[in-house]
Amino acid sequence: MRLLLGTLFGLAVAAFVGLGLTYYTLARGAAFGGLTIEGWTAWPKSGTTDADPYVRASIARNGRLPTALGDGVSFTVDSDDDGKILDGRCEVVISGVTPIARFWTLTLYKPDGELVANSTNRYGFTSQEIVRHSDGSFEIVVAPRANSGNWLPTGGVERYELILRLYDTAVGVSTKAGREVPMPDVTTRSCP
Amino acid sequence: MIRWLLLILGGVLLGGIVHLATVIILPRTATQDAYARLTALAPVNTIVALPAPTPEKAVMPFMDPAFASAVCRYDLSQGPLKLTVPVSPAYTSVSFYTRNDVAYYAINDRAAGRRVIELDLMTTAQHDQVPEDEEVTAADRLIVESPTPTGVIAIRALAPEPGLMRAAQAAIAAAKCGTAQPEPPPTPQPRPRR
């Protein structure tokens, strides 16, 4: 009886630890080999056949097609430079410049990958439609209410993430954080 | 007491194995991965344009709304596949994914260096059967090897501004993907009589 009880207990611990770890790593997107530059994280290897089992499992689980490395690299950010989670009710400013790429797009998603409904049907910006300062830098205001300049509406959602996709770029598997890869700053300006 | 600690330790070790096993098995059992989503939508070996993602409905999560996109779900069991994609004014890319949604190759308009991206997709076995001299004569032909007999090709054209979406969609709509017709054996040329 003691043996049976002990075995069951051991197996229960195994199931809890094993499945719990799997769920946690995939839900948090805690994959290895991430490239984090100023808060923006990319997994360049997820777009190659070198993708590790964690990346493969997370791709299969959420149902997306990853950006292939020959196409581009996508950087995700879900908190501002102070580490505060991005909140759709706040006014957040994305400012600065991006690494060199032929084109880039910046898109706002809910954490599950859906676009956010808004009255202007604007879900993101491309590098061509953005209004820039004379020195080439730009400023995008991510806010629930209309704003002058480059306004990206949040629809007031509680949490969101921004994905910066660089197309036809030299940024890739061998890239390291540094001066060649300047990422835009993410600052929360005001919160209600 | 020791006994329970040992049981917990054993359970944690076994849990690690369970974790690794589930992570490795998951891609094979996923029913809502990109390939499965596209299976319902796209027949084999034809181009199917994907509707632009909207907040209400999107074929896959995390699609880039600035792009017009189409897919060709392929099955190479009947022979190699021919793909032609006219490039759009801004940026066009073709990405290849295996049955398990792993990207194994991608090419963009600039890398292709022409107005039309043209390539042949085949399995390694089919590539081995291509006569070498033919490969030399067709040096401008780009051959891509697929690691799996089935998979997905994603064709995407950027609309840098919303107004250019139509042009991007038109470029994608002219793309073709289909099994290469076996070339008819060369008819013997009648020898010129002397």
Side-chain angles (χ1 to χ4, degrees):
Chain A
M1 189 61 203
R2 265 183 70 181
L3 183 68
L4 183 68
L5 215 66
T7 314
L8 281 179
F9 174 74
L11 288 177
V13 170
F16 180 76
V17 169
L19 299 179
L21 262 181
T22 302
Y23 178 79
Y24 178 79
T25 49
L26 296 185
R28 287 287 307 274
F32 306 109
L35 165 67
T36 301
I37 305 172
E38 295 169 43
W40 298 80
T41 306
W43 283 274
K45 275 195 179 164
S46 73
T48 68
T49 45
D50 288 341
D52 64 64
Y54 286 91
V55 167
R56 289 174 191 229
S58 111
I59 287 168
R61 183 172 171 274
N62 74 14
R64 71 184 200 270
L65 282 179
T67 312
L69 195 60
D71 185 16
V73 178
S74 41
F75 284 89
T76 307
V77 74
D78 64 357
S79 59
D80 68 10
D81 290 346
D82 296 329
K84 188 175 170 302
I85 296 289
L86 294 177
D87 187 330
R89 294 161 294 195
C90 300
E91 204 175 289
V92 175
V93 181
I94 316 293
S95 58
V97 290
T98 66
I100 294 169
R102 207 164 121 212
F103 288 100
W104 55 257
T105 65
L106 183 82
T107 316
L108 187 145
Y109 296 96
K110 289 185 203 167
D112 62 359
E114 278 176 35
L115 298 170
V116 177
N118 63 77
S119 55
T120 55
N121 288 336
R122 174 160 292 286
Y123 311 118
F125 281 99
T126 70
S127 48
Q128 273 198 11
E129 57 190 347
I130 206 126
V131 180
R132 292 170 197 264
H133 301 300
S134 51
D135 62 352
S137 66
F138 60 86
E139 190 176 285
I140 299 173
V141 180
V142 191
R145 260 176 291 284
N147 236 287
S148 60
N150 305 308
W151 171 50
L152 186 52
T154 63
V157 290
E158 206 170 306
R159 284 194 62 173
Y160 64 89
E161 53 189 62
L162 295 167
I163 298 190
L164 176 69
R165 294 186 173 94
L166 308 172
Y167 292 103
D168 204 353
T169 177
V171 178
V173 175
S174 55
T175 302
K176 297 206 165 41
R179 212 183 309 161
E180 307 81 58
V181 278
M183 298 301 283
D185 298 330
V186 183
T187 327
T188 303
R189 191 190 275 164
S190 64
C191 254
Chain B
M1 189 60 207
I2 296 268
R3 184 185 141 84
W4 288 103
L5 280 178
L6 277 176
L7 278 171
I8 290 179
L9 186 71
V12 169
L13 284 178
L14 195 59
I17 298 171
V18 169
H19 166 62
L20 291 179
T22 46
V23 165
I24 288 165
I25 290 170
L26 200 137
R28 271 169 244 173
T29 55
T31 52
Q32 278 300 303
D33 68 335
Y35 189 87
R37 286 164 193 248
L38 294 171
T39 304
L41 202 87
V44 188
N45 295 350
T46 44
I47 298 258
V48 175
L50 297 184
T54 63
E56 294 79 34
K57 206 168 176 298
V59 180
M60 290 171 280
F62 296 108
M63 281 171 77
D64 194 331
F67 277 79
S69 49
V71 291
C72 170
R73 196 163 66 84
Y74 65 79
D75 181 352
L76 299 176
S77 58
Q78 300 302 314
L81 195 80
K82 260 194 186 322
L83 180 78
T84 44
V85 181
V87 303
S88 74
Y91 172 78
T92 308
S93 74
V94 182
S95 312
F96 295 78
Y97 300 89
T98 66
R99 165 68 190 84
N100 293 317
D101 313 307
V102 174
Y104 61 88
Y105 183 74
I107 188 168
N108 63 42
D109 50 355
R110 188 175 282 178
R114 302 189 215 170
R115 303 294 307 152
V116 179
I117 302 173
E118 261 185 308
L119 43 84
D120 291 337
L121 182 68
M122 53 187 79
T123 60
T124 311
Q126 284 162 349
H127 194 181
D128 290 343
Q129 280 172 12
V130 175
E132 218 161 279
D133 55 332
E134 194 177 314
E135 205 170 331
V136 173
T137 51
D140 53 332
R141 216 167 54 151
L142 191 57
I143 294 179
V144 179
E145 270 185 30
S146 170
T148 52
T150 56
V152 184
I153 306 171
I155 299 145
R156 308 180 332 127
L158 174 68
E161 300 166 26
L164 297 172
M165 185 51 101
R166 234 160 234 243
Q169 282 166 343
I172 292 281
K176 284 191 191 70
C177 134
T179 42
Q181 292 301 319
E183 278 169 32
T187 44
Q189 294 286 324
R191 277 195 182 175
R193 294 194 183 182
R194 297 203 177 157

